[in-house]
Amino acid sequence: MLAWAGIPPDESPRRGGPAGPYLQSQRLELYAQAADALVRTGAAYPCFCSPQRLQLLKKEALRNRQTPRYDNRCRNLSQRQVAQKLASNPKPAIRFRLDEEAPAFQDLVYGWTRHEVASVEGDPVVLKSDGFPTYHLACVVDDHHMGVSHVLRGSEWLVSTAKHLLLYRALGWSPPRFAHLPLLVNADGSKLSKRQGDLVLERLAAAGFLPDALLDMVTNCGSGFAENQMGRTLAELIAQFDLSRVTCHSALLDLEKLPEFNRLHLCRLVSSETQRSQLVEKLRALVEEAFGSQLRDTAVLDPAYVERVILLRQGHICRLQDLVSPSYSYLWTRPAVGRAQLGAISEKVDVIATRVLGLLEGHAASLTQDTLNAELRRLSEGLEGTEHRHVMKLLRVALSGQQQGPPVAEMMVSLGPEEVRERIQKVLCS
């Protein structure tokens, strides 16, 4: 989904890079070396507690309405006891000693902060018995060996940073700068889960929402910019982002705003000739998928016609998919309209139809929306006892089979003079 959004990582398992390997399973030796170094200096120790014992500790704490924490049982084992236990359990977990006072640090978002984790937590596991690290060791080892200078991550890791700084100190490494970002939350204030986020992204992509629109909306929900504005491209977001402007407040994700963001970015694509040609091909595929065997006239798939539809409806639609919704079906298939339907609107069906056909006959090549609006107004004024709105309603039903829709003049320009003539004559003969 990062590739779809146009923000692929600079380095990754797929793309490679100078600081690889990028899979945790291929970096186990680095984690083991760091854990061994911690054990040698006494900053860490092997833990032989069984999962059953740890579970009992947790249950007992919860029963007493206390926060579960490890009781550090294995930290004071003698060398002899450790050797005896290693004989029967050669692959224990490794725990980090939380003895030292946690250093204060200046977070680039939250400012100076300190968390005395040793007073509220037991010694954390840094290397599991299967050789895989926990996040605490992995992030420290990976960031050090990859030369990471700044760590930007969610605010839920702010408290754990104290442990990470103690690990850096114990390993003799210089820590990076930290910036903990406020979380993106649902409209009801609940946390947006990773799994839920993936599902939403896949659904939004399938529904025709543009990556730039989603990025634009998400950044508008949060902070980091001098001002919020809609319609920014990825390049503009990068150029305008300022970490010092990020606030501590959670960002409320309001997906109801996405259609308007998408409308703006769709207009931007339409304005580019290259991008517009791609939109034309996408819309042709959508039309074939949506209407299939209903397409009696393949001329509606002509690129010039499809492009004309997109140009006329830009700014009025939020997604390309909107153009294959029932409201726009008249663009691709002829509606089933009977003469009786038009007669219920006005008794002068024949007169109106004849005059519109005459209008098309005389000015078909030069008719624009503005010209048509003026000509249709003049046509209505020449019909005694018939209001202009009734003429428009009659033509809209004749052309689309619908009571509402785009302006009649736009409908006529979209369909083209020949198709308009065909539809009007078909209704007269019904």
Side-chain angles (χ1 to χ4, degrees), residues 113-166:
T113 183
R114 182 203 303 268
H115 295 96
E116 294 297 345
V117 288
S119 63
V120 294
E121 296 184 32
D123 294 338
V125 171
V126 291
L127 193 72
K128 295 179 286 187
S129 59
D130 60 5
F132 277 80
T134 61
Y135 175 75
H136 304 304
L137 182 65
C139 72
V140 170
V141 171
D142 290 343
D143 291 347
H144 170 73
H145 286 287
M146 291 181 176
V148 171
S149 61
H150 291 71
V151 174
L152 276 68
R153 59 189 180 188
S155 59
E156 71 266 37
W157 291 106
L158 184 63
V159 173
S160 294
T161 305
K163 283 180 280 193
H164 303 159
L165 291 172
L166 289 172

Tab-separated table of all heavy atoms in Angstrom, residues 113-166:
chain	number	residue	atom	x	y	z
A	113	THR	N	11.670	15.230	28.679
A	113	THR	CA	10.840	14.246	29.376
A	113	THR	C	11.717	13.184	30.024
A	113	THR	O	12.859	12.946	29.604
A	113	THR	CB	9.833	13.594	28.395
A	113	THR	OG1	8.992	12.689	29.104
A	113	THR	CG2	10.549	12.837	27.297
A	114	ARG	N	11.193	12.559	31.047
A	114	ARG	CA	11.906	11.481	31.737
A	114	ARG	C	10.878	10.492	32.285
A	114	ARG	O	9.832	10.911	32.799
A	114	ARG	CB	12.748	12.032	32.891
A	114	ARG	CG	13.554	10.961	33.633
A	114	ARG	CD	13.912	11.407	35.051
A	114	ARG	NE	14.658	12.649	35.079
A	114	ARG	CZ	15.991	12.724	35.062
A	114	ARG	NH1	16.700	11.613	35.014
A	114	ARG	NH2	16.596	13.891	35.118
A	115	HIS	N	11.162	9.215	32.185
A	115	HIS	CA	10.270	8.191	32.719
A	115	HIS	C	11.098	7.200	33.524
A	115	HIS	O	11.997	6.553	32.982
A	115	HIS	CB	9.520	7.455	31.596
A	115	HIS	CG	8.586	8.330	30.830
A	115	HIS	ND1	8.942	8.927	29.639
A	115	HIS	CD2	7.320	8.729	31.099
A	115	HIS	CE1	7.920	9.649	29.184
A	115	HIS	NE2	6.933	9.547	30.054
A	116	GLU	N	10.830	7.107	34.807
A	116	GLU	CA	11.550	6.175	35.669
A	116	GLU	C	10.928	4.791	35.543
A	116	GLU	O	10.105	4.374	36.358
A	116	GLU	CB	11.508	6.674	37.119
A	116	GLU	CG	12.265	7.967	37.347
A	116	GLU	CD	13.755	7.835	37.075
A	116	GLU	OE1	14.253	6.686	36.990
A	116	GLU	OE2	14.422	8.861	36.934
A	117	VAL	N	11.312	4.092	34.496
A	117	VAL	CA	10.678	2.803	34.198
A	117	VAL	C	10.990	1.738	35.245
A	117	VAL	O	10.180	0.840	35.488
A	117	VAL	CB	11.096	2.309	32.792
A	117	VAL	CG1	10.435	3.140	31.714
A	117	VAL	CG2	12.612	2.342	32.633
A	118	ALA	N	12.160	1.832	35.903
A	118	ALA	CA	12.544	0.801	36.875
A	118	ALA	C	11.600	0.746	38.062
A	118	ALA	O	11.442	-0.299	38.698
A	118	ALA	CB	13.979	1.037	37.351
A	119	SER	N	10.940	1.865	38.347
A	119	SER	CA	10.049	1.905	39.500
A	119	SER	C	8.665	1.335	39.191
A	119	SER	O	7.889	1.061	40.118
A	119	SER	CB	9.906	3.347	39.996
A	119	SER	OG	9.311	4.164	38.998
A	120	VAL	N	8.351	1.160	37.938
A	120	VAL	CA	7.009	0.674	37.573
A	120	VAL	C	7.034	-0.597	36.736
A	120	VAL	O	5.996	-1.221	36.512
A	120	VAL	CB	6.220	1.767	36.814
A	120	VAL	CG1	5.929	2.938	37.729
A	120	VAL	CG2	6.958	2.216	35.568
A	121	GLU	N	8.221	-0.991	36.267
A	121	GLU	CA	8.312	-2.176	35.415
A	121	GLU	C	9.360	-3.131	35.946
A	121	GLU	O	10.325	-2.732	36.610
A	121	GLU	CB	8.700	-1.788	33.974
A	121	GLU	CG	7.681	-0.940	33.243
A	121	GLU	CD	8.089	-0.676	31.801
A	121	GLU	OE1	8.748	-1.563	31.210
A	121	GLU	OE2	7.775	0.396	31.285
A	122	GLY	N	9.169	-4.392	35.578
A	122	GLY	CA	10.206	-5.371	35.833
A	122	GLY	C	11.230	-5.324	34.713
A	122	GLY	O	11.063	-4.608	33.718
A	123	ASP	N	12.320	-6.063	34.861
A	123	ASP	CA	13.350	-6.099	33.816
A	123	ASP	C	12.754	-6.679	32.530
A	123	ASP	O	12.197	-7.789	32.540
A	123	ASP	CB	14.532	-6.967	34.268
A	123	ASP	CG	15.271	-6.365	35.459
A	123	ASP	OD1	15.148	-5.142	35.650
A	123	ASP	OD2	15.958	-7.121	36.173
A	124	PRO	N	12.884	-5.975	31.411
A	124	PRO	CA	12.254	-6.439	30.168
A	124	PRO	C	13.086	-7.482	29.430
A	124	PRO	O	14.326	-7.463	29.471
A	124	PRO	CB	12.163	-5.151	29.341
A	124	PRO	CG	13.360	-4.364	29.771
A	124	PRO	CD	13.526	-4.647	31.239
A	125	VAL	N	12.402	-8.385	28.756
A	125	VAL	CA	13.071	-9.330	27.862
A	125	VAL	C	13.562	-8.556	26.640
A	125	VAL	O	12.822	-7.768	26.051
A	125	VAL	CB	12.114	-10.451	27.411
A	125	VAL	CG1	12.749	-11.307	26.319
A	125	VAL	CG2	11.727	-11.319	28.608
A	126	VAL	N	14.830	-8.753	26.276
A	126	VAL	CA	15.357	-8.118	25.062
A	126	VAL	C	15.661	-9.147	23.980
A	126	VAL	O	15.672	-8.823	22.795
A	126	VAL	CB	16.609	-7.268	25.369
A	126	VAL	CG1	16.232	-6.037	26.178
A	126	VAL	CG2	17.674	-8.090	26.080
A	127	LEU	N	15.929	-10.391	24.418
A	127	LEU	CA	16.149	-11.470	23.443
A	127	LEU	C	15.360	-12.680	23.908
A	127	LEU	O	15.551	-13.168	25.030
A	127	LEU	CB	17.640	-11.808	23.331
A	127	LEU	CG	18.015	-12.696	22.130
A	127	LEU	CD1	17.906	-11.894	20.824
A	127	LEU	CD2	19.425	-13.247	22.282
A	128	LYS	N	14.460	-13.158	23.056
A	128	LYS	CA	13.624	-14.300	23.432
A	128	LYS	C	14.406	-15.602	23.297
A	128	LYS	O	15.469	-15.648	22.669
A	128	LYS	CB	12.370	-14.323	22.553
A	128	LYS	CG	11.466	-13.119	22.786
A	128	LYS	CD	10.233	-13.137	21.903
A	128	LYS	CE	10.569	-12.789	20.460
A	128	LYS	NZ	9.346	-12.646	19.624
A	129	SER	N	13.861	-16.663	23.862
A	129	SER	CA	14.574	-17.951	23.863
A	129	SER	C	14.732	-18.534	22.462
A	129	SER	O	15.594	-19.378	22.240
A	129	SER	CB	13.830	-18.947	24.758
A	129	SER	OG	12.495	-19.131	24.297
A	130	ASP	N	13.939	-18.055	21.510
A	130	ASP	CA	14.077	-18.555	20.137
A	130	ASP	C	15.112	-17.769	19.335
A	130	ASP	O	15.303	-18.002	18.136
A	130	ASP	CB	12.727	-18.516	19.406
A	130	ASP	CG	12.147	-17.111	19.311
A	130	ASP	OD1	12.815	-16.144	19.724
A	130	ASP	OD2	10.995	-16.977	18.818
A	131	GLY	N	15.790	-16.808	19.983
A	131	GLY	CA	16.835	-16.046	19.310
A	131	GLY	C	16.363	-14.770	18.661
A	131	GLY	O	17.186	-13.990	18.157
A	132	PHE	N	15.053	-14.539	18.676
A	132	PHE	CA	14.526	-13.307	18.087
A	132	PHE	C	14.456	-12.210	19.143
A	132	PHE	O	14.128	-12.479	20.306
A	132	PHE	CB	13.139	-13.546	17.495
A	132	PHE	CG	13.166	-14.138	16.114
A	132	PHE	CD1	13.377	-15.500	15.944
A	132	PHE	CD2	13.004	-13.339	14.994
A	132	PHE	CE1	13.413	-16.053	14.669
A	132	PHE	CE2	13.036	-13.879	13.720
A	132	PHE	CZ	13.242	-15.242	13.550
A	133	PRO	N	14.743	-10.977	18.756
A	133	PRO	CA	14.725	-9.887	19.722
A	133	PRO	C	13.316	-9.363	19.944
A	133	PRO	O	12.432	-9.538	19.114
A	133	PRO	CB	15.578	-8.819	19.038
A	133	PRO	CG	15.260	-9.017	17.572
A	133	PRO	CD	15.113	-10.518	17.403
A	134	THR	N	13.130	-8.707	21.076
A	134	THR	CA	11.916	-7.910	21.241
A	134	THR	C	12.179	-6.562	20.576
A	134	THR	O	13.305	-6.256	20.182
A	134	THR	CB	11.590	-7.700	22.730
A	134	THR	OG1	12.676	-6.989	23.341
A	134	THR	CG2	11.370	-9.029	23.426
A	135	TYR	N	11.138	-5.753	20.489
A	135	TYR	CA	11.292	-4.446	19.824
A	135	TYR	C	12.363	-3.601	20.509
A	135	TYR	O	13.121	-2.878	19.842
A	135	TYR	CB	9.959	-3.698	19.828
A	135	TYR	CG	10.070	-2.295	19.255
A	135	TYR	CD1	10.196	-2.089	17.884
A	135	TYR	CD2	10.068	-1.181	20.098
A	135	TYR	CE1	10.319	-0.802	17.362
A	135	TYR	CE2	10.182	0.103	19.587
A	135	TYR	CZ	10.309	0.290	18.225
A	135	TYR	OH	10.432	1.554	17.703
A	136	HIS	N	12.448	-3.697	21.837
A	136	HIS	CA	13.387	-2.855	22.583
A	136	HIS	C	14.825	-3.044	22.104
A	136	HIS	O	15.545	-2.064	21.885
A	136	HIS	CB	13.291	-3.151	24.077
A	136	HIS	CG	11.918	-2.984	24.633
A	136	HIS	ND1	11.221	-1.812	24.519
A	136	HIS	CD2	11.100	-3.851	25.303
A	136	HIS	CE1	10.031	-1.938	25.091
A	136	HIS	NE2	9.933	-3.173	25.568
A	137	LEU	N	15.251	-4.286	21.940
A	137	LEU	CA	16.620	-4.532	21.474
A	137	LEU	C	16.735	-4.322	19.974
A	137	LEU	O	17.718	-3.751	19.484
A	137	LEU	CB	17.051	-5.953	21.832
A	137	LEU	CG	18.499	-6.315	21.436
A	137	LEU	CD1	19.490	-5.458	22.219
A	137	LEU	CD2	18.776	-7.806	21.671
A	138	ALA	N	15.740	-4.774	19.228
A	138	ALA	CA	15.810	-4.689	17.770
A	138	ALA	C	15.943	-3.254	17.280
A	138	ALA	O	16.761	-2.944	16.414
A	138	ALA	CB	14.580	-5.339	17.147
A	139	CYS	N	15.129	-2.344	17.853
A	139	CYS	CA	15.181	-0.967	17.360
A	139	CYS	C	16.519	-0.315	17.671
A	139	CYS	O	17.048	0.456	16.867
A	139	CYS	CB	14.020	-0.154	17.921
A	139	CYS	SG	14.149	0.265	19.679
A	140	VAL	N	17.094	-0.630	18.833
A	140	VAL	CA	18.385	-0.053	19.213
A	140	VAL	C	19.497	-0.587	18.316
A	140	VAL	O	20.309	0.175	17.772
A	140	VAL	CB	18.692	-0.344	20.693
A	140	VAL	CG1	20.142	0.024	21.041
A	140	VAL	CG2	17.725	0.415	21.587
A	141	VAL	N	19.550	-1.894	18.140
A	141	VAL	CA	20.596	-2.515	17.316
A	141	VAL	C	20.460	-2.075	15.856
A	141	VAL	O	21.444	-1.693	15.209
A	141	VAL	CB	20.530	-4.046	17.431
A	141	VAL	CG1	21.460	-4.707	16.420
A	141	VAL	CG2	20.897	-4.485	18.842
A	142	ASP	N	19.237	-2.126	15.335
A	142	ASP	CA	19.036	-1.770	13.928
A	142	ASP	C	19.369	-0.301	13.661
A	142	ASP	O	20.063	0.035	12.693
A	142	ASP	CB	17.594	-2.054	13.509
A	142	ASP	CG	17.289	-3.541	13.442
A	142	ASP	OD1	18.251	-4.333	13.396
A	142	ASP	OD2	16.098	-3.902	13.445
A	143	ASP	N	18.866	0.592	14.518
A	143	ASP	CA	19.117	2.016	14.299
A	143	ASP	C	20.607	2.349	14.402
A	143	ASP	O	21.118	3.188	13.652
A	143	ASP	CB	18.316	2.855	15.298
A	143	ASP	CG	16.806	2.798	15.022
A	143	ASP	OD1	16.427	2.331	13.935
A	143	ASP	OD2	16.026	3.218	15.901
A	144	HIS	N	21.311	1.678	15.317
A	144	HIS	CA	22.751	1.925	15.457
A	144	HIS	C	23.511	1.457	14.215
A	144	HIS	O	24.288	2.229	13.626
A	144	HIS	CB	23.295	1.203	16.694
A	144	HIS	CG	24.790	1.213	16.766
A	144	HIS	ND1	25.521	2.343	17.079
A	144	HIS	CD2	25.711	0.219	16.536
A	144	HIS	CE1	26.820	2.054	17.045
A	144	HIS	NE2	26.963	0.779	16.730
A	145	HIS	N	23.274	0.226	13.795
A	145	HIS	CA	24.024	-0.328	12.661
A	145	HIS	C	23.608	0.297	11.334
A	145	HIS	O	24.387	0.293	10.376
A	145	HIS	CB	23.857	-1.847	12.611
A	145	HIS	CG	24.634	-2.568	13.672
A	145	HIS	ND1	25.997	-2.708	13.632
A	145	HIS	CD2	24.223	-3.172	14.820
A	145	HIS	CE1	26.412	-3.374	14.701
A	145	HIS	NE2	25.341	-3.673	15.443
A	146	MET	N	22.403	0.836	11.266
A	146	MET	CA	21.948	1.471	10.018
A	146	MET	C	22.255	2.966	9.978
A	146	MET	O	21.935	3.647	9.002
A	146	MET	CB	20.441	1.246	9.840
A	146	MET	CG	20.068	-0.193	9.558
A	146	MET	SD	18.284	-0.399	9.330
A	146	MET	CE	18.207	-2.143	8.895
A	147	GLY	N	22.864	3.477	11.041
A	147	GLY	CA	23.246	4.881	11.053
A	147	GLY	C	22.074	5.840	11.093
A	147	GLY	O	22.141	6.944	10.533
A	148	VAL	N	20.993	5.428	11.762
A	148	VAL	CA	19.799	6.270	11.838
A	148	VAL	C	20.070	7.466	12.760
A	148	VAL	O	20.543	7.297	13.882
A	148	VAL	CB	18.596	5.451	12.356
A	148	VAL	CG1	17.410	6.362	12.639
A	148	VAL	CG2	18.218	4.384	11.339
A	149	SER	N	19.778	8.661	12.263
A	149	SER	CA	20.037	9.881	13.042
A	149	SER	C	18.796	10.383	13.771
A	149	SER	O	18.902	10.998	14.833
A	149	SER	CB	20.559	10.990	12.126
A	149	SER	OG	19.585	11.307	11.131
A	150	HIS	N	17.611	10.155	13.187
A	150	HIS	CA	16.363	10.629	13.781
A	150	HIS	C	15.330	9.505	13.742
A	150	HIS	O	15.133	8.876	12.691
A	150	HIS	CB	15.802	11.834	13.023
A	150	HIS	CG	16.627	13.075	13.190
A	150	HIS	ND1	17.866	13.224	12.605
A	150	HIS	CD2	16.386	14.225	13.888
A	150	HIS	CE1	18.365	14.409	12.926
A	150	HIS	NE2	17.484	15.038	13.695
A	151	VAL	N	14.692	9.272	14.862
A	151	VAL	CA	13.637	8.257	14.949
A	151	VAL	C	12.306	8.966	15.140
A	151	VAL	O	12.101	9.649	16.145
A	151	VAL	CB	13.890	7.285	16.121
A	151	VAL	CG1	12.705	6.344	16.288
A	151	VAL	CG2	15.166	6.495	15.882
A	152	LEU	N	11.415	8.834	14.160
A	152	LEU	CA	10.061	9.373	14.257
A	152	LEU	C	9.114	8.189	14.384
A	152	LEU	O	9.067	7.338	13.486
A	152	LEU	CB	9.708	10.208	13.021
A	152	LEU	CG	10.174	11.671	13.018
A	152	LEU	CD1	11.696	11.754	12.932
A	152	LEU	CD2	9.548	12.426	11.857
A	153	ARG	N	8.399	8.100	15.490
A	153	ARG	CA	7.498	6.974	15.713
A	153	ARG	C	6.317	7.443	16.556
A	153	ARG	O	6.265	8.585	17.024
A	153	ARG	CB	8.242	5.827	16.403
A	153	ARG	CG	8.856	6.183	17.747
A	153	ARG	CD	9.751	5.061	18.254
A	153	ARG	NE	10.357	5.380	19.558
A	153	ARG	CZ	11.295	4.638	20.151
A	153	ARG	NH1	11.731	3.542	19.557
A	153	ARG	NH2	11.780	4.995	21.313
A	154	GLY	N	5.353	6.545	16.734
A	154	GLY	CA	4.132	6.890	17.437
A	154	GLY	C	4.365	7.210	18.902
A	154	GLY	O	5.287	6.694	19.543
A	155	SER	N	3.497	8.051	19.445
A	155	SER	CA	3.650	8.505	20.824
A	155	SER	C	3.497	7.383	21.846
A	155	SER	O	3.882	7.549	23.008
A	155	SER	CB	2.639	9.613	21.125
A	155	SER	OG	1.308	9.151	20.926
A	156	GLU	N	2.965	6.230	21.447
A	156	GLU	CA	2.834	5.122	22.397
A	156	GLU	C	4.199	4.580	22.821
A	156	GLU	O	4.305	3.848	23.809
A	156	GLU	CB	1.972	3.996	21.817
A	156	GLU	CG	2.621	3.205	20.690
A	156	GLU	CD	2.243	3.732	19.323
A	156	GLU	OE1	2.116	4.961	19.178
A	156	GLU	OE2	2.081	2.911	18.390
A	157	TRP	N	5.271	4.939	22.074
A	157	TRP	CA	6.618	4.480	22.416
A	157	TRP	C	7.386	5.510	23.243
A	157	TRP	O	8.561	5.296	23.564
A	157	TRP	CB	7.411	4.152	21.138
A	157	TRP	CG	6.882	2.945	20.432
A	157	TRP	CD1	6.153	2.920	19.277
A	157	TRP	CD2	7.008	1.586	20.858
A	157	TRP	NE1	5.815	1.623	18.951
A	157	TRP	CE2	6.329	0.781	19.904
A	157	TRP	CE3	7.628	0.965	21.939
A	157	TRP	CZ2	6.264	-0.600	20.003
A	157	TRP	CZ3	7.568	-0.418	22.045
A	157	TRP	CH2	6.882	-1.180	21.081
A	158	LEU	N	6.752	6.603	23.615
A	158	LEU	CA	7.446	7.654	24.367
A	158	LEU	C	7.980	7.138	25.699
A	158	LEU	O	9.135	7.396	26.066
A	158	LEU	CB	6.494	8.836	24.584
A	158	LEU	CG	7.074	10.073	25.273
A	158	LEU	CD1	8.185	10.677	24.437
A	158	LEU	CD2	5.972	11.112	25.503
A	159	VAL	N	7.139	6.385	26.432
A	159	VAL	CA	7.566	5.869	27.739
A	159	VAL	C	8.708	4.866	27.588
A	159	VAL	O	9.642	4.838	28.397
A	159	VAL	CB	6.364	5.224	28.465
A	159	VAL	CG1	6.816	4.543	29.746
A	159	VAL	CG2	5.306	6.278	28.766
A	160	SER	N	8.652	4.047	26.543
A	160	SER	CA	9.678	3.017	26.347
A	160	SER	C	11.031	3.599	25.949
A	160	SER	O	12.050	2.896	26.011
A	160	SER	CB	9.224	2.026	25.264
A	160	SER	OG	8.095	1.302	25.689
A	161	THR	N	11.057	4.844	25.527
A	161	THR	CA	12.319	5.449	25.094
A	161	THR	C	13.345	5.448	26.217
A	161	THR	O	14.551	5.345	25.978
A	161	THR	CB	12.079	6.883	24.583
A	161	THR	OG1	11.092	6.846	23.555
A	161	THR	CG2	13.350	7.489	24.008
A	162	ALA	N	12.886	5.544	27.465
A	162	ALA	CA	13.814	5.486	28.596
A	162	ALA	C	14.603	4.181	28.577
A	162	ALA	O	15.828	4.169	28.802
A	162	ALA	CB	13.045	5.635	29.907
A	163	LYS	N	13.920	3.076	28.333
A	163	LYS	CA	14.598	1.773	28.259
A	163	LYS	C	15.593	1.743	27.107
A	163	LYS	O	16.701	1.204	27.228
A	163	LYS	CB	13.564	0.655	28.089
A	163	LYS	CG	12.834	0.297	29.350
A	163	LYS	CD	11.829	-0.810	29.135
A	163	LYS	CE	10.554	-0.277	28.531
A	163	LYS	NZ	9.453	-1.244	28.573
A	164	HIS	N	15.198	2.339	25.985
A	164	HIS	CA	16.066	2.325	24.811
A	164	HIS	C	17.324	3.161	25.059
A	164	HIS	O	18.427	2.776	24.650
A	164	HIS	CB	15.294	2.839	23.595
A	164	HIS	CG	14.051	2.056	23.321
A	164	HIS	ND1	12.992	2.520	22.593
A	164	HIS	CD2	13.685	0.795	23.726
A	164	HIS	CE1	12.035	1.618	22.535
A	164	HIS	NE2	12.430	0.559	23.220
A	165	LEU	N	17.171	4.288	25.730
A	165	LEU	CA	18.337	5.111	26.046
A	165	LEU	C	19.281	4.390	27.004
A	165	LEU	O	20.516	4.496	26.892
A	165	LEU	CB	17.888	6.443	26.637
A	165	LEU	CG	17.184	7.394	25.653
A	165	LEU	CD1	16.610	8.598	26.393
A	165	LEU	CD2	18.137	7.853	24.557
A	166	LEU	N	18.718	3.645	27.961
A	166	LEU	CA	19.553	2.844	28.869
A	166	LEU	C	20.290	1.750	28.100
A	166	LEU	O	21.454	1.435	28.413
A	166	LEU	CB	18.686	2.237	29.971
A	166	LEU	CG	18.150	3.217	31.018
A	166	LEU	CD1	17.138	2.522	31.932
A	166	LEU	CD2	19.299	3.814	31.832
